[in-house]
Structure formats: structure tokens, C-alpha cells
Amino acid sequence: MDKNNYCVIMAGGVGSRFWPLSKHKQPKQFLDILGTGKTLIQMTFERFASICPVENFFIVTNANYKDLVLQQLPNIKEDQVLLEPIRRNTAPCIAYANHKIQKRNPKASIIVTPADHLILNETKFLSVLSEGIQFVQAGNQLLTLGIHPSRPETGYGYIQVANKAVKDYTNVYPVKTFTEKPHLELAKIFQESGEFFWNSGIFIWKLSAIQEEFNKYLPDVNALFESIFEKLDTPQEQEVIDEIYPECQNISIDYGILEKSENVFVYCSEFGWSDLGTWGSLYEHTAKDSNQNAIQGENVMLYESKNCLVNVSNGKLVVVQGLKDYIVVETDNTLLICPKRDEQEIKKIVNDVKITKGKKFI
């Protein structure tokens, strides 16, 4: 195992599209969404543990989730959990981790990953990571993992690749364009063209390479962390992070750097990836009965119902009659019944609930 390999796990999101199971006190990355006996963040940590030494992991999360991280990842030490006082999207999150790693190992190669993705073919995935690390170590390229689209998905971002692969790397292509969540007709065109891949949000780069791009495209964000560099890994770290974080631009790494840089490449592959961003994506990866219903809950009775996802607590009897293509989710104080086709509206629903009913339901 290469001691220069580092892994940054981004675990600060609230997973609002997985409401009402995912709530502010315990978002989806800290839940056993798949019923495997492990939470999503535990599965993510284990996935990279064969490539990165345990001491080379950093978990960037909201300050409210510190205890959850330490409970669920007992091998991680407290100084490996980087606490954001407020959410500022992925660019400041990555900048913070970069400077922590810079303090310890300027020669680092870094994998950046969300905490809540599903990887079905882990053997293939590890092979992709190994080749990806080899690719970025040879130069100053930024690499993102692109997924062959299996359907015209409107909930993912897309990356268009150049026609010719990089020499000696048959699956690595220069990036032509990034496109955020397209409408259905455009998504169909993307899938049929063969030039577009889903943007997985998993990145690989050398520390020196990503720092160079931060200095070029997000110098103000980088300067804030430069200003407190000497206090990182000291008792004053959290205090100075709390001071500068509100000043950081609220921007994603995609918008802030990747869409502007001329040095971005895509490793195009397929390893059974899903970002598990919605109930619909969970439905796709859950075992189903003869009527294509995906059921989690010991006391669920379905009549004349097809293609539904039902996720309820084991202690509650739930009877569903005559529903087709619906999401039914129950938690201790909330019941959601929603057509699968409208799952993207759940985020708006959560907003409305917060305004009209208060925080206790979210």
C-alpha cells in the first residue's frame, strides 16, 4: 500500500431527496439504506481501505456529525475528522482537506469521494482507482470517473469526452464539456451519442496539481486556508476554521475548477455505480417481488400494487392497495406517499415542510 495515497470522504450533506428517512440529525450517509448491516459511510471507508492507509483518511463533515463519524468509523482518529461550521459546497471542503494533507505529505495523491455512493463491482472499481492513480502521478492532470449511462437519467450531471483516448490509457479521455442535469430529451441524445458519461463525483489528483488549479481559478478560497495554514493540526485549528469558513465562496469543485480547467480528464468505465441520490435510484438496486415491488419492512401487505418502493419500520403494519409506481416511506413521525416520477420534487417538499411545520419533521 502506497503511503502517499490519501482519501478524502465528503460526508456533510443532508440527503434531503431521501427524506423522510434521511433527516438533519442523521442523514443518509449514516444510515443502513441498503439493509446490509453497514451504513453508507462505513461501506465507503471499507471500499478505499485497501488503497489508502487508515491514517491517510480525512472525513469532511458538518460539525453536527462529528460523533456519528467517530462512532461509525472507530479506526478514524479525531484529528482526521474535519468539521465544517456551515455548508459551503465541495470546493471549500476539498480546499480544507488539501491544506491538512499539505501539512503532512506534500507528495500526496488524493482520491476524493462522496460518502453515500453504491459500487456493485468493487474489484473492477479498485482496478480503475489503481490505474487512475498511476495516470495522475505521471503528470499534473485532474481525473474524474465517468460512468457509461445505462438510461437517459435527468438527475445526474454529464461529461462529454474527446474522440481519442490518451496514449497508453485506453479508457482515459480529455474532457470537452460538462453539462448539469439535462431535461429528458437531451439526456436521450446524450446516451445515444456515446460521447457523454455520467459524472460520478469521484476525483483523483496529485495534491500539487489540484493546488495549482485552486490558485488559478479559486484564489480567494485558497488564500483563506493559506492564511491559517500554521494553525492546522494545532489546538487552534477549529477556532480559525470557524472564523474563515463563512467567508468561503459557496461553490462546487465542478463549477469552481473542473469546468474551467484545461487539464481535466475522464476515466470512462462501468462498475455498478449509483449515487443513491433518490428513492428511485435505491429502487433500481433493491430486490423486488413478482410484481416488481421493492419492500423494506417485515409487516407490509400489498394488493394490486406494482413497481412500488415501500420502506417502513418493522413494528408497523402497512397495507397498500392499488398503487402503481409509487414511493411509500414511513418513519416515526412522518409518512411520504409520492409517485416515483415526481421524486425530484421531494427536495422542494422538504423545504415546504420546514417553512410550514417546523424543523421537527426534517
Side-chain angles (χ1 to χ4, degrees):
M1 191 181 299
D2 191 334
K3 62 181 177 58
N4 290 326
N5 289 347
Y6 283 72
C7 182
V8 176
I9 299 178
M10 301 181 291
V14 296
S16 58
R17 287 180 295 172
F18 254 107
W19 181 86
L21 199 61
S22 177
K23 294 187 176 181
H24 280 273
K25 286 185 178 179
Q26 194 158 12
K28 67 172 180 174
Q29 61 267 30
F30 302 110
L31 300 174
D32 178 12
I33 291 281
L34 295 165
T36 63
K38 296 176 182 176
T39 65
L40 293 178
I41 194 172
Q42 288 171 327
M43 294 172 68
T44 301
F45 174 78
E46 291 180 7
R47 188 174 298 139
F48 294 95
S50 63
I51 289 181
C52 303
V54 172
E55 63 273 17
N56 288 4
F57 279 79
F58 286 96
I59 318 299
V60 190
T61 190
N62 187 270
N64 295 326
Y65 306 141
K66 175 184 176 182
D67 291 341
L68 281 171
V69 171
L70 294 173
Q71 287 165 14
Q72 295 193 7
L73 302 178
N75 293 330
I76 293 293
K77 295 180 180 177
E78 194 168 339
D79 64 356
Q80 293 172 259
V81 184
L82 311 188
L83 303 177
E84 300 177 292
I86 57 174
R87 293 178 177 87
R88 278 291 183 262
N89 217 313
T90 54
C93 155
I94 290 169
Y96 183 8
N98 285 347
H99 285 81
K100 284 282 284 192
I101 295 169
Q102 174 79 32
K103 193 99 175 182
R104 303 181 184 199
N105 185 353
K107 297 179 180 179
S109 298
I110 306 171
I111 301 166
V112 179
T113 179
D116 50 8
H117 286 186
L118 172 67
I119 306 293
L120 293 177
N121 189 341
E122 301 224 351
T123 302
K124 174 66 174 176
F125 180 65
L126 292 175
S127 173
V128 168
L129 289 180
S130 179
E131 191 172 354
I133 291 170
Q134 181 184 356
F135 173 71
V136 301
Q137 285 178 340
N140 288 316
Q141 301 92 339
L142 310 182
L143 186 66
T144 181
L145 303 190
I147 312 298
H148 290 277
S150 58
R151 60 187 183 277
E153 173 62 56
T154 59
Y156 296 158
Y158 286 73
I159 305 171
Q160 184 183 21
V161 301
N163 294 327
K164 191 175 181 181
V166 175
K167 184 181 178 184
D168 299 328
Y169 292 90
T170 56
N171 294 306
V172 178
Y173 294 80
V175 170
K176 286 177 72 174
T177 60
F178 286 84
T179 303
E180 278 302 308
K181 304 174 181 177
H183 57 75
L184 182 58
E185 291 307 313
L186 189 56
K188 288 178 180 177
I189 294 170
F190 285 175
Q191 183 187 12
E192 291 166 2
S193 74
E195 295 181 2
F196 288 81
F197 294 79
W198 288 338
N199 184 358
S200 71
I202 302 171
F203 312 113
I204 308 173
W205 42 54
K206 286 192 307 192
L207 172 63
S208 57
I210 189 62
Q211 284 295 81
E212 187 175 320
E213 300 300 274
F214 262 101
N215 281 325
K216 188 180 297 184
Y217 298 109
L218 289 176
D220 292 346
V221 172
N222 208 53
L224 287 169
F225 290 96
E226 291 277 351
S227 71
I228 63 162
F229 185 74
E230 294 305 320
K231 293 186 178 179
L232 297 178
D233 284 336
T234 75
Q236 288 78 45
E237 176 175 334
Q238 194 61 53
E239 180 183 348
V240 293
I241 286 294
D242 290 350
E243 287 176 2
I244 69 160
Y245 232 82
E247 298 179 40
C248 287
Q249 187 178 354
N250 188 346
I251 190 169
S252 71
I253 195 73
D254 303 74
Y255 282 127
I257 291 178
L258 299 182
E259 294 185 15
K260 299 172 183 175
S261 173
E262 298 177 355
N263 204 23
V264 184
F265 294 77
V266 183
Y267 192 118
C268 301
S269 186
E270 177 52 60
F271 36 76
W273 170 89
S274 171
D275 76 344
L276 287 181
T278 65
W279 287 111
S281 61
L282 178 62
Y283 173 83
E284 294 294 327
H285 297 285
T286 303
K288 301 169 185 68
D289 66 12
S290 58
N291 289 311
Q292 294 300 298
N293 296 305
I295 303 167
Q296 288 186 322
E298 292 179 356
N299 296 298
V300 177
M301 300 175 69
L302 299 182
Y303 297 89
E304 299 176 6
S305 297
K306 294 182 178 180
N307 305 320
C308 292
L309 182 143
V310 182
N311 188 302
V312 299
S313 57
N314 288 332
K316 186 164 290 187
L317 172 64
V318 174
V319 181
V320 177
Q321 164 75 38
L323 286 187
K324 292 178 176 62
D325 297 301
Y326 264 76
I327 298 164
V328 180
V329 184
E330 170 267 339
T331 61
D332 53 349
N333 65 358
T334 308
L335 172 65
L336 170 72
I337 304 171
C338 174
K340 282 198 295 187
R341 67 175 182 272
D342 295 332
E343 65 173 4
Q344 296 293 339
E345 296 297 311
I346 292 176
K347 198 168 186 178
K348 177 182 179 298
I349 291 168
V350 173
N351 234 12
D352 293 344
V353 170
K354 181 179 179 181
I355 293 169
T356 61
K357 300 298 180 182
K359 292 183 179 180
K360 68 177 180 177
F361 293 106
I362 61 165

